[in-house]
Amino acid sequence: MPPPRKRARKVSTSPEEGSEYASSSESEVESLNSEALDDETPPPASQNSRAGKNSRSHTSRGKNADKREKKGAKSSISKVSPSKKEASSTKKRKRGASSEEEDNSDTEVIGKIVQAPTTGRVPPGQISQNTLDFLQKLKDPEYNDREWFKLHEPVYRQAEKEWNDFVDAFTTTLTEVDDEIPHLPPKDVIHRIYRDVRFSNDKTPYKSNFSASFSRTGRKGTFSHYHVSISPNGGSFFAAGVWCPGKNELDQIRSHLKRNAAPLRALISDPTFESLFGPAKWSQGRRQNIFGRDDQLKVAPKGVAKDHPDIDLLKCRSYAVAHKLTDEQVLAADFKELLGVIAETAKPFVRRLNLMMTLGPDEDTEEEAES
């Protein structure tokens, strides 16, 4: 009678070997680490599955089982060591570092720190000349670099706080104008000052304006927005609508226009609307109302006849309007009230676009009939 075969035993390996039998706590920490997930390493096998294999009969756990155990041990030893993983993740972090992350690094800058101005300050909810002066400096490439910004960080922090206070105050005004806009904290509507320079010929790291976007979901999302941007020398403006919407949203808008363009055309042709945003017709070389520049196709969209009666609206790739603001208006004590008046005029346009992007053409017709 042949001697009984020995059961395959689970071999304990040290952490340096990268064992797939590491403790559950270590495995859990690694699986929650985003850097570890990027390595695409398979998750460690569960203890239950191993226990199931050990409970098989002696016949099925012969020489082939021993070979599988040896092969598994080899594969676990050949795994990447923790030090290599850390080096790999560090490289990834460096390649994907943003301007903001680089600014927050402990980079030594030689020079005298410029303190924030103590004069020319304004009450919360207003914009001062100090803020426009700081943004004017950023328009010059000689100053728009990280060393200059580091030395002038106290000036920036004061301007940033002033802008945050203004946005918070204007949000109250805007929510009174349009109750579909929630009162979100400034951080959810304000855009960063750091530029994404990865695909731009302009490598200056900072924007030369402060801006914020307000919608049902803050600055992000697919809904129509109200947008405010301040920049010196007449570069400030108020905008409303959707800028370069996604394919689905654009298709939705065009479906509505093909079905019935009259409601939108009536809104953008209103005399008060045109007095703020320009005549509702295309003008070569000039942007006015929702028409002009690169926001319009040169030919009819796919599936639309070139002689369609509303071809001018259907050619649009963005449905947004803008009203320019002077420095005097920006610095005025009633600046947020002025923006509220402009927003009141733009509100039907913003709401119409939201309806077109969220409801089908048939649902839109039913809603109009009910109202």
Side-chain angles (χ1 to χ4, degrees), residues 11 19 51 63 71 146 156 197 216 227 255 319 351 371:
V11 180
S19 170
K63 294 181 179 180
K71 186 177 180 180
R146 293 185 178 88
Y156 164 65
V197 300
R216 295 180 185 178
H227 180 83
S255 296
Y319 294 85
R351 289 190 168 187
S371 60

Side-chain angles (χ1 to χ4, degrees), residues 90-241:
T90 303
K91 290 180 181 178
K92 289 179 183 178
R93 284 195 293 271
K94 286 183 178 178
R95 285 199 299 268
S98 65
S99 298
E100 184 176 12
E101 290 169 343
E102 292 179 14
D103 281 351
N104 292 333
S105 63
D106 297 329
T107 305
E108 184 179 358
V109 178
I110 301 175
K112 183 179 179 181
I113 299 294
V114 178
Q115 298 302 321
T118 56
T119 60
R121 297 190 179 183
V122 294
Q126 293 180 225
I127 304 297
S128 72
Q129 184 64 49
N130 294 336
T131 294
L132 293 187
D133 290 343
F134 174 75
L135 294 174
Q136 179 63 38
K137 286 289 187 181
L138 291 179
K139 285 180 175 287
D140 189 341
E142 181 180 349
Y143 301 113
N144 196 326
D145 61 39
R146 293 185 178 88
E147 289 187 6
W148 184 90
F149 198 88
K150 279 283 186 183
L151 294 175
H152 290 75
E153 187 168 357
V155 184
Y156 164 65
R157 293 303 175 190
Q158 180 176 291
E160 180 190 39
K161 183 180 185 309
E162 186 177 279
W163 176 241
N164 285 3
D165 291 343
F166 173 81
V167 167
D168 191 40
F170 173 64
T171 301
T172 301
T173 302
L174 184 60
T175 53
E176 292 172 356
V177 171
D178 188 346
D179 58 9
E180 291 185 359
I181 303 298
H183 198 301
L184 298 175
K187 68 181 181 64
D188 290 335
V189 297
I190 289 177
H191 296 272
R192 304 187 326 154
I193 196 172
Y194 308 96
R195 296 182 61 250
D196 186 350
V197 300
R198 291 174 299 172
F199 309 107
S200 174
N201 292 327
D202 180 6
K203 298 302 180 183
T204 52
Y206 307 104
K207 301 172 185 175
S208 58
N209 69 303
F210 283 147
S211 59
S213 296
F214 309 81
S215 75
R216 295 180 185 178
T217 54
R219 71 177 181 273
K220 299 180 180 180
T222 59
F223 292 106
S224 187
H225 284 70
Y226 300 96
H227 180 83
V228 181
S229 174
I230 63 167
S231 185
N233 297 332
S236 305
F237 64 91
F238 174 93

Side-chain angles (χ1 to χ4, degrees), residues 257-269:
L257 294 176
K258 286 187 284 187
R259 181 73 172 263
N260 182 15
L264 181 65
R265 191 177 292 281
L267 290 174
I268 64 174
S269 302

Side-chain angles (χ1 to χ4, degrees), residues 323-343:
H323 177 79
K324 292 185 177 181
L325 302 160
T326 65
D327 289 1
E328 290 73 23
Q329 290 174 320
V330 172
L331 298 174
D334 62 347
F335 179 43
K336 60 181 180 296
E337 285 77 20
L338 171 64
L339 295 179
V341 172
I342 302 173

